[in-house]
């Protein structure tokens, strides 16, 4: 078992918290889903413990203790949640195996909110945090906000996000990430097309 680890040396392994919902931030722990080699941001139990802390889902204000088995279960759940959101966005029914896994996780005791300096409490903090994330996903896909979930238009990115813009025309997971890259690429493309004087 392990507690939290230091932030990753590779900035690409930093957790993006730009989805607008805990479940979307959780599925973002696997990046570049469309690439031949996706980016695993949960390579070990310490990384999952760090995600719980950074997502503010650590119970009792303490680092969550995570086992290798917890990590395997969390990754399986993450992928089931991703498929649930994607199929729901497409108006399709989720796979029965995913429904079973998600319902099982959502039925576990989740984090109990607390007043005072400790935000959450739980008997099994790792499982409770995952139950909280899973319930968030179920509520999202069964509610009116599903139609506002989008995938970033950057072909090298696969992050899902809740479009909370007033016009509902957001195209990028974040202007600081993919939106800025698109603007720079567009500028360079236009600059190359301008004849030299």
């Amino acid at each position: 078992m392990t507690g939290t680890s230091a932030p990753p040396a590779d900035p690409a392994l930093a957790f993006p918290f730009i989805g607008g919902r805990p479940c979307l931030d959780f599925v973002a722990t696997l990046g570049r889903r469309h690439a031949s080699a996706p980016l695993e941001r949960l390579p070990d139990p310490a990384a999952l413990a760090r995600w719980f802390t950074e997502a503010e889902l650590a119970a009792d204000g303490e680092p969550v203790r995570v086992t290798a088995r917890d990590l395997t279960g969390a990754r399986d759940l993450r992928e089931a949640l991703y498929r649930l959101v994607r199929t729901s966005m497409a108006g399709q029914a989720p796979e029965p195996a995913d429904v079973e896994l998600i319902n099982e996780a959502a039925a576990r005791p989740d984090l109990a909110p607390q007043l005072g300096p400790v935000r959450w409490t739980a008997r099994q903090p790792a499982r409770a945090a995952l139950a909280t994330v899973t319930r968030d996903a179920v509520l999202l896909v069964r509610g009116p906000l599903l139609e506002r979930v989008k995938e970033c238009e950057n072909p090298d990115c696969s992050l899902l996000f809740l479009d909370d813009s007033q016009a509902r025309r957001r195209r990028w997971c974040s202007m600081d990430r993919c939106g800025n890259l698109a603007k720079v690429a567009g500028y360079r493309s236009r600059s190359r097309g301008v004849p030299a004087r």
Side-chain angles (χ1 to χ4, degrees):
M1 291 189 199
T2 184
T4 57
S5 63
D10 182 352
L13 295 178
F15 300 124
F17 290 99
I18 53 181
R21 294 289 291 246
C23 62
L24 300 179
D25 290 334
F26 184 57
V27 300
T29 60
L30 184 69
R32 301 184 193 136
R33 289 178 175 274
H34 309 309
S36 57
L39 177 64
E40 179 58 77
R41 294 186 175 102
L42 298 178
D44 53 41
L48 178 57
R50 185 170 53 83
W51 187 85
F52 288 140
T53 298
E54 291 182 21
E56 298 183 358
L57 294 173
D60 302 322
E62 297 292 324
V64 179
R65 298 182 65 78
V66 177
T67 66
R69 184 177 177 185
D70 292 333
L71 176 64
T72 299
R75 285 179 177 171
D76 290 344
L77 179 61
R78 174 190 66 193
E79 296 313 297
L81 293 174
Y82 175 76
R83 290 187 296 268
L84 170 71
V85 173
R86 290 307 310 237
T87 56
S88 298
M89 288 169 66
Q92 301 168 352
E95 291 292 323
D98 288 342
V99 170
E100 183 178 352
L101 179 62
I102 289 165
N103 283 343
E104 180 184 318
R108 295 180 187 140
D110 64 348
L111 295 170
Q114 302 289 291
L115 293 174
V118 172
R119 184 172 181 181
W120 308 103
T121 188
R123 287 190 179 176
Q124 295 181 309
R127 294 182 90 186
L130 291 174
T132 299
V133 168
T134 304
R135 289 180 186 193
D136 179 61
V138 171
L139 293 171
L140 177 63
V141 301
R142 297 190 82 181
L145 294 180
L146 176 64
E147 65 186 30
R148 291 170 43 192
V149 177
K150 297 180 180 177
E151 182 178 47
C152 183
E153 289 187 16
N154 178 348
D156 295 329
C157 182
S158 62
L159 295 184
L160 300 176
F161 63 90
L162 185 66
D163 182 359
D164 58 359
S165 66
Q166 191 169 4
R168 307 285 185 261
R169 292 188 186 147
R170 190 169 145 198
R171 300 172 54 200
W172 318 110
C173 61
S174 165
M175 281 308 295
D176 292 339
R177 291 170 55 103
C178 296
N180 191 46
L181 292 173
K183 285 172 67 175
V184 169
Y187 173 78
R188 287 182 180 155
S189 177
R190 288 189 301 276
S191 296
R192 278 189 237 114
V194 175
R197 294 185 182 202

